[in-house]
């Protein structure tokens, strides 16, 4: 009976030992993925800010500028690209919609971002674009990889249409959560005019024909939860200028927009709650369950060896029967 029990325990130990690395190295890359139908919107604000008044052609201080960042999963495009790519792909149709203090549109820049559902690496496919212009992304955008490392990454900048290093600056605590802090600075760079202009009748071509050029710089900051790779906070110190504007606007350089853009408080709370729940699911796959299975395998193996040793121990021989006492015949 002991021999049979030890074989059962040994089989269970082998099963647990095999399942631990399987969950970490096989199941995790296949289960931890961005859903193709994800929808997310985030509101950021710059309070106060500087904004160009197109009616007076002067930069003015305003109470706030609002940026609504929308990410919408395009399931049909994901399936189309997956057939050729041979892997799970996510297509995000993104929109950065900027409004002034009066609620009127300042600019809107659409994007199509195609990436691997697990690694977040860009997948190059027809339709990849920024503001209608085809691009070939290098590096990540919007989200960092699962199990983010303490190192620099290439991060795509939609304004310049190029990737540049975003630097790991240390581990910090943000609202009780351990995060990695990343920082990227884009120096003054000439960038395309947005196709949607805030003044009716003014087009990018009219501005380009006048000799105007648009320049941009930003300091981009992310606080990233490393298990999920999701930013729990993001900020930018952002500035845009129109240059060579003297002929049209009376002075050579005009500030179009300047401000410290921060995520709105209610969105900080909702994103933090969402990241916390997703973090637990990822940890179950990469840490909690594999380590529990490893410990259980060692316990079961120890029990199996103990029972086997007991079954092989020689049984003690029964004590010898006492010699019969001789009986004397009566005299």
């Amino acid at each position: 009976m002991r021999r049979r029990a030890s074989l059962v325990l040994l089989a269970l130990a082998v099963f647990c030992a095999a399942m631990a690395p399987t969950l970490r190295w096989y199941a995790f890359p296949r289960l931890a993925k961005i859903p193709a139908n994800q929808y997310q919107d985030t509101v950021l604000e710059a309070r106060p800010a500087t904004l160009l008044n197109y009616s007076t052609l002067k930069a003015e201080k305003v109470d706030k500028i609002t940026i609504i960042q929308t990410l919408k999963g395009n399931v049909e495009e994901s399936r189309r690209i997956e057939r050729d790519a041979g892997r799970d792909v996510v297509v995000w149709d993104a929109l950065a919609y900027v409004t002034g203090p009066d609620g009127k549109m300042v600019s809107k820049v659409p994007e199509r971002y195609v990436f691997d559902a697990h690694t977040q690496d860009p997948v190059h496919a027809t339709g990849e674009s920024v503001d209608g212009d085809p691009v070939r992304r290098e590096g990540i955008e919007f989200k960092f990889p699962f199990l983010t490392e303490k190192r620099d990454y290439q991060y795509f900048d939609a304004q310049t249409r190029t990737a540049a290093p975003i630097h790991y600056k240390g581990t910090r605590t943000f609202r009780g959560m351990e995060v990695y802090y990343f920082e990227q600075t884009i120096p003054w760079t000439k960038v395309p005019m947005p196709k949607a202009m805030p003044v009716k009748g003014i087009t990018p071509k009219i501005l380009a024909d006048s000799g105007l050029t648009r320049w941009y710089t930003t300091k981009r900051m992310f606080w990233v939860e490393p298990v999920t790779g999701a930013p729990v906070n993001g900020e930018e110190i952002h500035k845009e200028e129109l240059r060579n504007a003297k002929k049209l606007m009376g002075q050579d350089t005009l500030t179009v927009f300047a401000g410290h853009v921060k995520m709105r408080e209610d969105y900080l709370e909702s994103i933090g709650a969402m990241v916390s729940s997703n973090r637990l699911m990822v940890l179950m796959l990469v840490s909690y369950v594999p380590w529990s299975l490893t410990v259980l395998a060692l316990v079961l193996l120890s029990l199996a060896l103990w029972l086997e040793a007991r079954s092989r121990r020689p049984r003690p021989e029964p004590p010898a029967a006492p010699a019969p006492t001789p009986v004397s015949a009566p005299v």
Side-chain angles (χ1 to χ4, degrees):
M1 190 68 184
R2 289 175 183 168
R3 179 70 60 86
R4 185 180 300 172
S6 65
L7 288 175
V8 171
L9 290 174
L10 181 60
L12 290 173
V14 171
F15 174 78
C16 292
M19 283 300 297
T22 299
L23 279 175
R24 174 62 182 84
W25 303 110
Y26 182 83
F28 168 62
R30 289 161 177 77
L31 296 177
K33 295 178 180 179
I34 303 298
N37 62 346
Q38 180 172 350
Y39 178 86
Q40 180 179 333
D41 62 334
T42 307
V43 176
L44 305 99
E45 295 176 335
R47 291 174 173 264
T50 301
L51 186 65
L52 177 64
N53 187 328
Y54 282 88
S55 61
T56 63
L57 298 181
K58 292 183 179 180
E60 300 176 351
K61 289 285 185 182
V62 296
D63 293 336
K64 72 171 181 176
I65 292 175
T66 303
I67 302 171
I68 304 170
Q69 179 72 61
T70 305
L71 302 173
K72 182 180 180 181
N74 190 322
V75 178
E76 291 182 3
E77 282 297 298
S78 296
R79 290 172 179 167
R80 179 185 67 81
I81 296 171
E82 282 173 353
R83 287 194 291 268
D84 296 326
R87 52 178 165 166
D88 291 331
V89 172
V90 175
V91 177
W92 273 347
D93 289 331
L95 179 66
Y97 191 89
V98 184
T99 63
D102 55 0
K104 294 182 179 179
M105 188 269 289
V106 173
S107 71
K108 58 179 179 179
V109 178
E111 290 187 59
R112 172 161 288 182
Y113 178 34
V114 187
F115 61 96
D116 185 282
H118 176 72
T119 66
Q120 278 73 74
D121 291 334
V123 175
H124 305 302
T126 304
E128 186 181 9
S129 62
V130 175
D131 203 14
D133 298 329
V135 297
R136 185 179 176 85
R137 278 181 177 80
E138 299 298 334
I140 57 177
E141 189 179 8
F142 300 116
K143 183 189 177 297
F144 286 70
F146 291 104
L147 307 182
T148 301
E149 300 175 9
K150 298 178 180 180
R151 64 175 178 87
D152 297 349
Y153 288 87
Q154 289 292 110
Y155 192 90
F156 183 81
D157 181 83
Q159 296 280 359
T160 64
R161 275 62 158 175
T162 59
I166 187 165
H167 302 287
Y168 169 74
K169 294 289 187 177
T171 302
R172 302 185 180 182
T173 300
F174 182 79
R175 301 194 173 199
M177 187 182 299
E178 184 179 280
V179 296
Y180 295 168
Y181 174 66
F182 290 89
E183 195 174 284
Q184 181 190 52
T185 299
I186 304 296
W188 281 110
T189 306
K190 183 181 175 181
V191 294
M193 296 283 184
K195 289 185 170 57
M197 301 298 293
V199 179
K200 190 175 181 179
I202 295 181
T203 65
K205 186 177 185 306
I206 292 174
L207 295 177
D209 291 343
S210 71
L212 276 173
T213 56
R214 178 170 168 255
W215 292 73
Y216 147 91
T217 183
T218 196
K219 178 181 177 182
R220 181 173 286 122
M221 297 159 279
F222 284 119
W223 288 255
V224 178
E225 196 288 306
V227 174
T228 61
V232 294
N233 186 32
E235 298 182 9
E236 281 194 31
I237 301 174
H238 186 105
K239 192 169 184 180
E240 297 179 26
E241 291 180 351
L242 290 177
R243 298 183 181 178
N244 303 320
K246 192 167 186 178
K247 180 179 177 182
L248 188 64
M249 299 181 176
Q251 61 187 87
D252 187 63
T253 302
L254 284 172
T255 298
V256 176
F257 165 55
H260 188 160
V261 180
K262 299 181 180 181
M263 201 177 293
R264 209 169 70 185
E265 179 64 28
D266 52 340
Y267 283 87
L268 283 173
E269 293 178 0
S270 63
I271 289 173
M274 179 183 67
V275 170
S276 295
S277 62
N278 290 334
R279 180 178 185 273
L280 178 60
M281 290 189 288
V282 175
L283 283 174
M284 292 291 287
L285 288 172
V286 300
S287 180
Y288 295 162
V289 176
W291 278 111
S292 298
L293 287 172
T294 301
V295 172
L296 181 58
L298 292 173
V299 171
L300 291 172
L301 179 61
S302 300
L303 285 173
L305 294 175
W306 178 72
L307 284 177
E308 182 67 16
R310 288 200 63 185
S311 68
R312 292 174 181 269
R313 189 180 302 168
R315 296 181 180 180
E317 295 183 2
T325 304
V327 178
S328 300
V331 178

